[in-house]
Amino acid sequence: MVEKKVITRAQQLREQLNQYSYEYYVKDHPTVEDFVYDELYRELVEIEDKYPELISEDSPTQRVGGTVLAGFEKVVHQVPLYSLNDVFNKEEITAFDQRVRKAIDADFCYTCELKIDGLSVSLRYEKGRFVQGATRGDGSVGENITANLKTVKSIPLQLKKPLTIEARGECYMPKKSFMKLNQKREEEGQEVFANPRNAAAGSLRQLDSSITAKRNLSTFLYSVASIEPLQSRGQFAALAELDELGFRTNHERRSCATLDDVWAYIEEFEEKRKELPYEIDGVVIKVDQFAQQESLGFTVKAPRWAIAYKFPPEEADTVIRDIEWTVGRTGVLTPTAVMDPVKVAGTTVSRASLHNADFIATKEIRLADHVVIYKAGDIIPEVSHVLKESRTAASEDYPIPEKCPICDSQLVHLDDEVALRCINPKCPAQIKEQMNHYVSRNAMNIDGLGPRLIAQMYEKDLIRDVADLYYLSEDDLLKLDKVKEKSANNLLASINESKSRSAERLLFGLGIRHVGAKAAKILLEHFADIRRLEQASIEEIQELNTLGSAIAESVVTYFEKNEVHELLAELEKAGVNFNYLGKTTSELAQVESVFKDKTVVLTGKLTQYTRIQAKAKIESLGGTVTGSVSKNTDIVVAGTEAGSKLTKAENLGITIWNEADMVKAFEKSEES
């Protein structure tokens, strides 16, 4: 028999963790630091490991995935998921408005919402508990992807009220997640996704739900299959009610009384779309009141009371003049198209990613081809397709390289990869890229040491690995172009300063596959120093339940190499710190500071601290530093020449400090 106090504690932890998750992923306003959540989560895992009978379907531990399906079952939608008729200009919106006015012959208003570019899903709840999630499919029959949708943290496993309801919305991949995923896939030689929508669809249709769990998907809910469970009698109010139930809805919606209001909303977000953290491809316009929607009814395929205005594609035509290949620190070759300059999505571009050799072959890209380019995720220029009808006699096939353009080693095309890879460990390009990573801001942050200087140092045989940086002399640096005595001494001082960084910076800088900055911090906080981590087993690392088997295996494999032992010995001999210097989770919990549990944004130029130093200081005092201003920001520290972030903070009424205010807060925290 399980003791009553254990049952009670497990229930308390589930409720607490689900509330924290709701605040973080749905309200976008976390009330506790990550380490607080992690501690409680670990406690719940320990209880559930000891007493499996206490595991419930709404437990946050069930979001990690791991269910592997043979295939997806079909789901018949009792109420069809209709598609919307598309319109592409103001005249077509006016025609829609006229049809509505003629049919209703009464006062009405529209609710306008952003058209999220993701995958439509349906979520069914019984007495408040999530029981089934399905894709839209053809609108009548979809696929059962319940196991995968349970891993999406913005989807509540238990509603705030015990309603039986079917909610519908869009599952999407945020732009930042899309960029990270494609970067990782490119480094690993895998095929990249064309856009966030494809990435979201591919992630939701994984037969292994643990893969979906790692993709950082999110949702916006926008309707229900039946309005009966709701108190609201209109779309705008219903969205607020969905919020109250625990769903995540998009708050950029607007009630529009006139067609001019609708068009103003469209123009506003056509301009703002590049700033949004998710992709939109238009605006959905709905008659607000449900009774009026019912009177308007449906056609065979779509409702008569709603339309989707589609933004014009942000594309441009240009000509490919050359293809350049670069070698990354993992040996993967990446081709880049060099094109005639052209303006797309607000900026002039002359280069576009071609990803890999298979991409070039699939798109049938040739030199001198006319192509259409666009910005994937509104960020990275990519080639959409070749305009074959414009192909001329000057167009010629591009020969895919067989040897590394840097070291002339034979390239390999591994069976499970789409990328070409240089497997020569002595390849200068890989070594230089690894060094660039090591000195970067989030790693050892060696100020003044960039790609050009590193390339020079390598070419002049001053460095062959990152440890060599710590044995450079002033005479060595004076051999470099445009390096004088003062800059040489400044660089030596910066290199020397990096020795004292906390060891998670060093671990991240070593460039171990799968080990990002966050994973490095988790590892070093737990193991305390590099040498202890070096001796850790896969099982010991996997005990940190926030890290998966891929990271554990990668870390252990890395530290098994003889050349790594030699590198660490050289770094240690040079006096590079191997210890974790940050506060532990328990120490952070004891911190008393004005920054504790506050979200801070740094903008403008700081004089007494570098941006990295200020960020580290704030985080050591229990605060969180983010890069963008939102309604959830607590403090904006504005240095000199602060720009749009300061303006946005002023408009939102957020507390604004200058650098002196921040320094005083640091001093006060140290006194307490």
Side-chain angles (χ1 to χ4, degrees):
M1 289 288 290
V2 183
E3 292 183 45
K4 187 175 180 180
K5 65 179 182 181
V6 176
I7 297 172
T8 303
R9 181 56 179 160
Q11 181 60 28
Q12 287 174 342
L13 288 168
R14 281 195 294 271
E15 291 174 359
Q16 208 168 354
L17 288 166
N18 282 331
Q19 179 62 24
Y20 290 157
S21 187
Y22 169 73
E23 290 162 352
Y24 187 99
Y25 293 102
V26 179
K27 303 300 286 183
D28 194 27
H29 186 64
T31 58
V32 296
E33 291 300 318
D34 289 352
F35 67 83
V36 176
Y37 182 96
D38 293 342
E39 272 196 346
L40 297 174
Y41 184 90
R42 278 194 286 270
E43 184 184 348
L44 180 59
V45 168
E46 289 171 3
I47 292 174
E48 291 182 347
D49 283 347
K50 191 172 181 180
Y51 305 104
E53 62 269 33
L54 295 184
I55 298 174
S56 66
E57 291 187 2
D58 67 335
S59 173
T61 63
Q62 302 308 294
R63 289 192 182 275
V64 297
T67 303
V68 180
L69 305 173
F72 294 111
E73 299 174 353
K74 298 298 181 186
V75 173
V76 177
H77 298 300
Q78 298 304 313
V79 177
L81 278 82
Y82 288 93
S83 58
L84 297 175
N85 288 326
D86 295 334
V87 295
F88 300 92
N89 53 53
K90 194 172 184 178
E91 289 72 25
E92 290 178 316
I93 294 176
T94 302
F96 165 75
D97 179 66
Q98 289 172 345
R99 290 195 299 273
V100 170
R101 292 185 184 282
K102 185 177 180 181
I104 292 181
D105 194 25
D107 291 338
F108 69 93
C109 66
Y110 293 112
T111 291
C112 290
E113 303 166 50
L114 300 183
K115 188 174 183 294
I116 310 300
D117 199 10
L119 193 74
S120 294
V121 294
S122 182
L123 312 175
R124 189 159 61 82
Y125 291 78
E126 291 181 1
K127 296 181 179 178
R129 185 171 61 85
F130 180 46
V131 294
Q132 187 181 81
T135 62
R136 178 186 179 278
D138 63 4
S140 298
V141 179
E143 291 177 319
N144 187 334
I145 55 169
T146 307
N148 290 345
L149 287 173
K150 278 186 174 181
T151 71
V152 179
K153 294 183 176 67
S154 61
I155 294 177
L157 300 179
Q158 185 75 38
L159 298 181
K160 304 285 185 182
K161 297 179 182 178
L163 297 184
T164 295
I165 193 170
E166 185 177 331
R168 289 164 174 188
E170 206 79 2
C171 189
Y172 70 94
M173 181 172 286
K175 289 178 183 177
K176 190 180 289 186
S177 302
F178 170 70
M179 299 301 298
K180 286 182 179 177
L181 176 61
N182 263 0
Q183 184 179 2
K184 182 180 177 185
R185 290 176 71 86
E186 206 157 70
E187 287 175 356
E188 295 177 350
Q190 299 182 54
E191 190 173 353
V192 296
F193 290 107
N195 52 57
R197 187 189 185 283
N198 286 7
S203 301
L204 281 179
R205 299 199 76 258
Q206 294 288 331
L207 293 176
D208 182 351
S209 58
S210 66
I211 297 175
T212 311
K214 297 173 185 174
R215 295 286 176 83
N216 195 29
L217 299 174
S218 193
T219 53
F220 285 125
L221 279 293
Y222 53 69
S223 70
V224 290
S226 168
I227 64 170
E228 294 307 318
L230 300 181
Q231 301 296 312
S232 308
R233 289 297 169 255
Q235 174 67 11
F236 198 82
L239 291 172
E241 193 170 345
L242 289 177
D243 278 335
E244 292 169 3
L245 288 172
F247 293 110
R248 185 167 187 252
T249 68
N250 190 287
H251 288 189
E252 301 291 357
R253 56 187 178 260
R254 189 171 300 169
S255 179
C256 296
T258 68
L259 207 56
D260 287 341
D261 294 338
V262 170
W263 190 248
Y265 178 85
I266 289 170
E267 290 184 320
E268 178 183 338
F269 281 97
E270 190 166 5
E271 180 66 27
K272 285 183 176 178
R273 64 187 291 199
K274 293 185 286 293
E275 303 169 15
L276 296 171
Y278 44 84
E279 275 210 335
I280 61 172
D281 60 355
V283 165
V284 175
I285 305 158
K286 302 175 182 175
V287 172
D288 182 71
Q289 290 298 298
F290 293 146
Q292 292 174 329
Q293 290 181 9
E294 189 177 356
S295 69
L296 287 163
F298 296 80
T299 66
V300 174
K301 294 183 178 180
R304 292 190 176 93
W305 42 266
I307 53 166
Y309 172 83
K310 298 292 288 290
F311 292 140
E314 298 206 52
E315 298 177 335
D317 300 355
T318 186
V319 179
I320 293 181
R321 300 299 179 186
D322 195 9
I323 295 176
E324 294 180 355
W325 295 79
T326 55
V327 184
R329 61 186 174 93
T330 62
V332 170
L333 267 70
T334 304
T336 300
V338 181
M339 313 169 299
D340 291 343
V342 64
K343 194 164 186 176
V344 59
T347 58
T348 300
V349 299
S350 58
R351 301 169 68 82
S353 174
L354 296 176
H355 298 299
N356 51 63
D358 285 8
F359 184 92
I360 294 171
T362 302
K363 300 278 186 181
E364 297 181 44
I365 293 170
R366 302 178 186 177
L367 294 181
D369 265 349
H370 289 257
V371 296
V372 173
I373 65 167
Y374 70 104
K375 284 193 176 179
D378 287 334
I379 301 170
I380 302 296
E382 290 192 13
V383 173
S384 170
H385 59 276
V386 175
L387 296 169
K388 292 181 181 176
E389 65 276 12
S390 301
R391 185 171 276 169
T392 67
S395 175
E396 56 180 296
D397 285 327
Y398 182 86
I400 301 300
E402 296 179 355
K403 292 189 174 182
C404 175
I406 306 301
C407 70
D408 208 37
S409 297
Q410 198 72 28
L411 297 173
V412 298
H413 198 160
L414 301 178
D415 291 341
D416 60 342
E417 294 186 346
V418 295
L420 288 171
R421 190 184 287 274
C422 172
I423 56 173
N424 174 17
K426 302 282 187 186
C427 176
Q430 294 180 56
I431 294 171
K432 285 185 275 190
E433 283 298 320
Q434 167 57 35
M435 290 184 178
N436 288 332
H437 172 72
Y438 183 86
V439 305
S440 65
R441 181 177 292 182
N442 289 327
M444 295 302 275
N445 189 30
I446 301 180
D447 192 36
L449 188 51
R452 289 183 181 179
L453 274 182
I454 285 174
Q456 273 198 73
M457 289 176 180
Y458 187 87
E459 286 152 13
K460 293 182 185 291
D461 207 27
L462 296 176
I463 54 174
R464 278 292 176 266
D465 59 38
V466 295
D468 289 339
L469 292 169
Y470 298 99
Y471 296 90
L472 291 169
S473 66
E474 182 181 337
D475 288 342
D476 290 330
L477 296 181
L478 291 175
K479 296 174 185 176
L480 305 174
D481 296 341
K482 299 180 181 179
V483 174
K484 305 300 180 188
E485 187 175 338
K486 183 179 179 181
S487 56
N489 286 323
N490 286 342
L491 186 52
L492 287 173
S494 186
I495 291 171
N496 191 57
E497 183 190 1
S498 75
K499 294 180 184 180
S500 60
R501 307 247 188 266
S502 189
E504 71 272 16
R505 297 290 200 95
L506 172 61
L507 183 64
F508 176 56
L510 291 173
I512 303 171
R513 193 176 185 187
H514 301 309
V515 179
K518 186 172 183 180
K521 190 172 189 298
I522 291 169
L523 285 164
L524 263 298
E525 184 181 343
H526 179 77
F527 288 99
D529 65 70
I530 294 285
R531 289 303 187 190
R532 281 186 61 195
L533 176 62
E534 184 185 13
Q535 302 302 319
S537 66
I538 289 175
E539 291 73 26
E540 287 173 319
I541 294 173
Q542 283 183 309
E543 285 177 8
L544 298 167
N545 57 23
T546 53
L547 304 180
S549 59
I551 290 176
E553 290 168 10
S554 186
V555 169
V556 170
T557 301
Y558 178 81
F559 283 119
E560 286 174 345
K561 298 176 182 175
N562 286 330
E563 56 267 37
V564 170
H565 297 162
E566 293 168 7
L567 176 66
L568 291 176
E570 288 298 305
L571 288 168
E572 198 166 31
K573 181 182 173 184
V576 176
N577 173 59
F578 276 29
N579 298 318
Y580 177 69
L581 303 178
K583 286 186 169 65
T584 64
T585 299
S586 57
E587 287 172 338
L588 277 172
Q590 304 302 317
V591 166
E592 290 300 329
S593 161
V594 69
F595 293 106
K596 189 173 183 181
D597 300 332
K598 294 291 192 295
T599 299
V600 183
V601 171
L602 303 171
T603 184
K605 293 180 181 178
L606 304 178
T607 56
Q608 293 182 253
Y609 287 83
T610 66
R611 191 75 66 87
I612 292 291
Q613 289 169 338
K615 180 176 186 288
K617 187 76 173 172
I618 291 167
E619 289 176 345
S620 74
L621 295 170
T624 301
V625 178
T626 62
S628 58
V629 176
S630 74
K631 64 182 185 301
N632 299 318
T633 303
D634 297 300
I635 302 167
V636 169
V637 178
T640 58
E641 300 179 27
S644 59
K645 290 179 184 178
L646 175 58
T647 304
K648 186 171 183 180
E650 289 171 339
N651 292 337
L652 291 172
I654 292 166
T655 300
I656 297 169
W657 287 1
N658 56 31
E659 187 175 4
D661 295 326
M662 178 182 73
V663 172
K664 285 179 185 175
F666 289 163
E667 292 170 350
K668 188 174 180 181
S669 297
E670 288 168 357
E671 291 169 3
S672 60

